[in-house]
Amino acid sequence: MLTRLMFGGGGTAQVLIMQAGQQFVTSGSYYYGYKTSSPAYGSLTPKYIEYQGKQYEIGNFYTTPYGISLLTFQNNIAPTATTIVIEVNGKKYTMVKNADTGSFKSKANIFTNTGTYTIKILSIE
């Protein structure tokens, strides 16, 4: 079930809860977040977001050891969506669509450990 919260200006935000997992890379470096492909790690509830009346299942949502965070979908968001603005544990991030891969990217360390994260989808444009 998708949870929505009211926020300033009268709109609503979709809310996801992530229990971040980790994947060891090398020399104490880890990927942190949620991944469904092998090796899978972390958990996300719900596992989808809604956009223009459709549900889009999240495939991966993680931060690399190189300070890049990625969001991918099992079925790509409509081509008209080029940015997703999120708030994670009170901090706002803008994720921009990579035209070559269809994934959304932010040059930010959004997930930094195996903690619990509250993710609000503030806008999809």
Side-chain angles (χ1 to χ4, degrees):
M1 180 177 173
L2 186 65
T3 302
R4 295 183 181 274
L5 293 178
M6 295 295 291
F7 62 95
T12 60
Q14 299 175 59
V15 178
L16 309 151
I17 304 296
M18 176 193 290
Q19 178 59 55
Q22 67 183 14
Q23 177 186 353
F24 177 76
V25 180
T26 183
S27 302
S29 297
Y30 292 90
Y31 284 76
Y32 290 106
Y34 168 75
K35 187 174 170 215
T36 58
S37 55
S38 182
Y41 54 84
S43 64
L44 189 65
T45 305
K47 296 178 182 349
Y48 64 89
I49 64 168
E50 290 180 0
Y51 177 63
Q52 295 182 338
K54 295 181 183 176
Q55 291 182 356
Y56 294 91
E57 186 176 350
I58 296 170
N60 303 297
F61 198 3
Y62 59 83
T63 298
T64 72
Y66 315 105
I68 303 290
S69 295
L70 296 170
L71 170 62
T72 65
F73 293 89
Q74 298 289 6
N75 49 352
N76 284 332
I77 279 200
T80 56
T82 57
T83 61
I84 299 177
V85 179
I86 62 173
E87 181 183 300
V88 180
N89 290 357
K91 188 167 182 186
K92 194 172 177 181
Y93 302 94
T94 299
M95 303 195 79
V96 179
K97 189 173 191 175
N98 181 331
D100 295 333
T101 65
S103 65
F104 289 80
K105 177 171 120 175
S106 176
K107 293 182 180 176
N109 285 310
I110 297 175
F111 309 113
T112 58
N113 58 48
T114 56
T116 301
Y117 296 87
T118 301
I119 303 160
K120 297 177 186 175
I121 309 296
L122 301 179
S123 69
I124 303 173
E125 301 172 3

